[in-house]
Amino acid sequence: MIKKIFLLLIMPSLLLSGCYYGNLSEDDDRPDYVVAIHGGAGWILKENISEEKEAAATAKLNEALEAAEKVLQNGGHAVEAVEAAINILENDPLFNAGKGAVLTAEGTAELDASIMNGEDQNAGAIAGVKHIKNPISAARLVMQKSKHVMLAGEGADNYAADNGLDTVPNAYFITEARAANYNKNHPDKAPVHKYGTVGCVALDSKGNLAAGTSTGGMSDKEYGRIGDSPIIGAGTYAHNETVAVSATGHGEWFIRHAVAHDIHAMVEYNRWTVERAADFIIHRKFKYYDVNGGVIVLGKSGNVAMPFNTPGMYRGYLKSTGEREVKLYGEE
Amino acid sequence: MIKKIFLLLIMPSLLLSGCYYGNLSEDDDRPDYVVAIHGGAGWILKENISEEKEAAATAKLNEALEAAEKVLQNGGHAVEAVEAAINILENDPLFNAGKGAVLTAEGTAELDASIMNGEDQNAGAIAGVKHIKNPISAARLVMQKSKHVMLAGEGADNYAADNGLDTVPNAYFITEARAANYNKNHPDKAPVHKYGTVGCVALDSKGNLAAGTSTGGMSDKEYGRIGDSPIIGAGTYAHNETVAVSATGHGEWFIRHAVAHDIHAMVEYNRWTVERAADFIIHRKFKYYDVNGGVIVLGKSGNVAMPFNTPGMYRGYLKSTGEREVKLYGEE
């Protein structure tokens, strides 16, 4: 009888109500650790990229994953793993973060970054810094040492320098390739919205999630423009009970739709799976609004989604189970 | 038969699934227009406030409501109404926004503001400006004229000035009372976290929602600190299908929990009422995390919620139906 009531009432209620689409995976299956990274979404097509560049990008993504893995294997916190991976990408001129950042309309590099600890929703962000070598480390410093979440401009540069982070002249960030692109494009005002933001999400052995994002922003941006990367809720979000998210793409749209927090909310309130929430943003909302970009999303059970709607996205993940993937292009 | 299937299958699915807590009010009952404002939550107690100050604050809140009403009566857009109300509060030294802003650790005024149009999720924000007389107007300018959502520091000041907004020397913002407080408190480093952020939410006759927030931030803040007020999703959010929200209180916590977007998400995904979503933040989450502040929330059907957990909050609303309220203290 009870079985009959279940079949007649409760089963259809779950199926028909539209509220219980997916089942969050069980924690029993959670890998000891997981890390996923991106190096930006954009017009990344095999025919446009030399074999050397392809090999260099692949090697660097693997190096970043392994730097995070080393932290996680030693029982380190997810926040530490996120910082370690992003530092590798910031220091490499291939990516639009740290060294190799794109230039503002004024020809300078202005860097943004944010980091969030899913354990306690603590977060740190810096925007528009010009002299901190590793912006993600400055974001972590703000999170852990200051009473604030977000510092911008000279105040952020000074705070990081006063607390012992490495500083560099602005010219350190500016590679020959970016300078040539600036000179080529600036006189005729043809903006090149080159993306290449980097990000990382990690799950550590204690079940803590963390997310971080670092960028040089949009090329030819107005002086003082802040994109989504340093905005908690837009480019970065982490909550141990749901997901860690890092986004890349058209930052203004990500702010207006609070993309990273929205994915968290869909998992928390709708009980959607990580995959469903990420796909809804990238393949439904992006399509509707004609927006480009991608996200990496890591669920509390270790499942990874990395959807994008551009031709390619530098991306990769690895799990303690040995599962591993590094890819650059779409539909490989 | 069809009725029987409905009763047996679909009705219980709605009742049992736990997904259909509240009923969004019907649009048939929507007033022609509604506006609600706040002037900050904090230690606002009747015994601490002189009769003169009480009268002045009440009069100014009424003046701001009426400025917005005038726009809405003439068929103006909700965004325009929000700007009109906030301009009144920014120009009055009673509130911690525009003239009368609290001072940074360095003794300067640094102003933040944001505005959002619920119709299309367009948004604008400025952070750390020192010379724009009306920060909310600069936020609206960024929303409507620039390709960006957020500009900070000198870049924001210059952008607003180049586009013809009124500029003032930084001293314009600094009242005698704030300067005295700074001098009194600074030498012994006793921080006075004085709140007084202002905000407005409006619903116009076409059903558009808008929200705006403007502030001088937290007193004694680090140079370059950005709080929640200019962060879309934290201090401000608006979506025509759900709510318009403006928040006031401990900004760092509002960023970490993306409070304004979270209220939108609870209404969108949980189908909670405006009142339930606002109360959940203020009376459940705030209690759990030991945080203080308040929010004003206006639903698409014109219902208003203005919960806070401090002794008082400057607040008020009016509707085209003639319903109207202006209050300063709790449990009046």
Side-chain angles (χ1 to χ4, degrees):
Chain A
M1 179 60 191
I2 286 174
K3 198 175 163 194
K4 217 168 186 176
I5 288 175
F6 178 81
L7 284 173
L8 267 173
L9 301 183
I10 299 174
M11 262 283 282
S13 84
L14 296 177
L15 294 172
L16 291 172
S17 67
C19 278
Y20 201 77
Y21 296 103
N23 209 341
L24 292 174
S25 313
E26 290 301 315
D27 271 346
D28 301 342
D29 301 330
R30 176 164 72 78
D32 190 44
Y33 60 81
V34 182
V35 56
I37 56 175
H38 69 82
W43 280 94
I44 301 164
L45 286 161
K46 199 170 173 60
E47 53 264 40
N48 295 343
I49 293 186
S50 68
E51 273 182 37
E52 292 73 32
K53 191 171 174 184
E54 184 182 296
T58 304
K60 198 50 76 172
L61 291 169
N62 276 305
E63 188 186 333
L65 286 173
E66 284 156 18
E69 180 172 43
K70 200 173 157 193
V71 171
L72 296 167
Q73 271 175 338
N74 292 329
H77 197 284
V79 163
E80 213 180 316
V82 164
E83 184 188 13
I86 292 180
N87 279 345
I88 301 278
L89 303 174
E90 284 176 339
N91 293 345
D92 191 284
L94 267 177
F95 306 95
N96 175 20
K99 190 173 184 66
V102 299
L103 306 186
T104 66
E106 306 199 339
T108 56
E110 286 186 21
L111 308 161
D112 303 333
S114 66
I115 197 163
M116 186 161 193
N117 183 351
E119 197 179 353
D120 54 7
Q121 274 62 62
N122 204 357
I126 51 94
V129 300
K130 293 180 179 169
H131 299 290
I132 299 304
K133 188 183 169 208
N134 287 107
I136 196 71
S137 301
R140 187 181 173 193
L141 175 79
V142 170
M143 170 169 85
Q144 293 183 327
K145 285 212 173 169
S146 89
K147 61 182 177 182
H148 301 312
V149 167
M150 189 170 189
L151 294 178
E154 216 183 330
D157 265 315
N158 292 345
Y159 184 81
D162 290 349
N163 281 279
L165 292 198
D166 286 350
T167 58
V168 288
N170 196 253
Y172 160 84
F173 299 112
I174 304 175
T175 60
E176 266 183 48
R178 299 294 191 201
N181 190 56
Y182 174 75
N183 291 330
K184 196 168 65 188
N185 287 294
H186 203 61
D188 57 355
K189 299 283 179 205
V192 180
H193 297 303
K194 176 126 193 185
Y195 305 121
T197 296
V198 308
C200 178
V201 289
L203 173 70
D204 67 26
S205 60
K206 297 191 181 64
N208 295 314
L209 286 167
T213 310
S214 180
T215 191
M218 182 183 274
S219 58
D220 209 30
K221 67 186 176 185
E222 297 277 352
Y223 174 57
R225 176 259 187 181
I226 296 181
D228 64 312
S229 301
I231 304 289
I232 298 300
T236 303
Y237 208 75
H239 193 301
N240 275 9
E241 293 304 316
T242 55
V243 291
V245 182
S246 172
T248 177
H250 194 274
E252 273 67 16
W253 192 89
F254 285 82
I255 297 176
R256 291 158 54 186
H257 293 266
V259 168
H261 184 266
D262 202 29
I263 292 174
H264 154 78
M266 287 187 276
V267 173
E268 181 174 3
Y269 300 134
N270 282 351
R271 299 279 162 193
W272 284 5
T273 61
V274 163
E275 293 76 11
R276 184 176 178 145
D279 281 348
F280 182 78
I281 290 284
I282 301 299
H283 298 302
R284 298 285 291 278
K285 278 188 97 169
F286 271 30
K287 196 168 182 181
Y288 182 77
Y289 287 96
D290 194 19
V291 172
N292 291 320
V295 291
I296 55 171
V297 187
L298 171 56
K300 66 171 181 171
S301 307
N303 30 341
V304 175
M306 305 193 289
F308 55 96
N309 71 342
T310 47
M313 179 166 86
Y314 290 158
R315 64 201 185 278
Y317 72 88
L318 65 74
K319 302 189 180 189
S320 55
T321 55
E323 204 183 321
R324 181 179 184 140
E325 181 181 295
V326 169
K327 288 185 173 179
L328 311 187
Y329 314 112
E331 289 173 21
E332 286 175 271
Chain B
M1 179 59 190
I2 286 172
K3 198 175 163 195
K4 216 167 183 176
I5 288 175
F6 177 81
L7 283 173
L8 266 173
L9 300 183
I10 299 170
M11 262 285 281
S13 85
L14 295 177
L15 295 171
L16 291 172
S17 69
C19 278
Y20 202 75
Y21 295 103
N23 212 341
L24 293 174
S25 312
E26 290 301 315
D27 271 346
D28 301 343
D29 302 330
R30 178 164 69 79
D32 191 43
Y33 59 81
V34 182
V35 56
I37 55 172
H38 69 81
W43 279 94
I44 302 163
L45 286 160
K46 200 169 172 60
E47 53 265 40
N48 295 345
I49 293 185
S50 68
E51 273 181 38
E52 292 74 29
K53 190 170 175 185
E54 184 181 296
T58 304
K60 198 50 73 172
L61 291 169
N62 276 305
E63 189 185 332
L65 286 173
E66 285 156 18
E69 181 173 43
K70 201 173 156 194
V71 172
L72 296 168
Q73 272 175 338
N74 292 331
H77 197 283
V79 163
E80 215 181 314
V82 164
E83 183 187 13
I86 292 181
N87 279 345
I88 302 278
L89 303 174
E90 283 177 339
N91 293 345
D92 191 284
L94 266 177
F95 306 94
N96 175 21
K99 192 176 183 66
V102 300
L103 306 186
T104 65
E106 305 199 339
T108 56
E110 286 185 22
L111 309 161
D112 303 332
S114 66
I115 196 163
M116 187 161 191
N117 183 351
E119 197 179 352
D120 54 7
Q121 274 63 63
N122 205 357
I126 50 95
V129 301
K130 293 180 178 171
H131 300 290
I132 299 303
K133 189 183 169 207
N134 287 108
I136 197 72
S137 301
R140 187 182 172 193
L141 175 79
V142 170
M143 171 169 83
Q144 294 182 328
K145 285 214 175 168
S146 90
K147 60 183 177 181
H148 300 313
V149 167
M150 188 170 190
L151 294 178
E154 217 182 328
D157 265 315
N158 293 345
Y159 184 80
D162 290 349
N163 281 280
L165 292 198
D166 286 350
T167 58
V168 289
N170 196 252
Y172 160 84
F173 299 112
I174 303 175
T175 59
E176 266 183 48
R178 299 295 191 200
N181 190 55
Y182 174 75
N183 291 329
K184 196 169 65 188
N185 287 294
H186 201 62
D188 57 356
K189 301 282 179 204
V192 180
H193 297 303
K194 177 126 192 182
Y195 305 122
T197 296
V198 309
C200 179
V201 287
L203 173 71
D204 68 27
S205 60
K206 297 191 182 63
N208 295 314
L209 286 168
T213 310
S214 180
T215 191
M218 182 182 275
S219 59
D220 209 30
K221 67 186 175 185
E222 299 278 351
Y223 173 58
R225 177 256 188 184
I226 296 180
D228 64 312
S229 300
I231 304 289
I232 298 301
T236 302
Y237 208 75
H239 193 301
N240 275 10
E241 292 305 317
T242 55
V243 290
V245 182
S246 172
T248 176
H250 194 274
E252 273 68 14
W253 191 89
F254 285 82
I255 296 176
R256 290 160 53 187
H257 293 266
V259 167
H261 184 266
D262 202 30
I263 291 173
H264 154 77
M266 287 187 276
V267 173
E268 181 174 3
Y269 299 134
N270 282 350
R271 298 280 162 191
W272 284 6
T273 62
V274 164
E275 294 75 11
R276 181 176 177 152
D279 282 348
F280 182 78
I281 290 285
I282 302 299
H283 298 303
R284 298 284 290 278
K285 277 189 99 168
F286 272 31
K287 196 168 181 180
Y288 181 77
Y289 288 96
D290 194 20
V291 172
N292 290 321
V295 290
I296 56 172
V297 187
L298 171 55
K300 66 172 181 172
S301 307
N303 31 340
V304 175
M306 305 193 289
F308 54 95
N309 70 342
T310 47
M313 178 165 86
Y314 291 156
R315 65 202 184 277
Y317 72 88
L318 65 74
K319 301 189 181 190
S320 54
T321 55
E323 204 184 320
R324 181 177 183 138
E325 182 181 294
V326 169
K327 288 185 171 179
L328 310 186
Y329 315 112
E331 290 173 20
E332 286 174 269

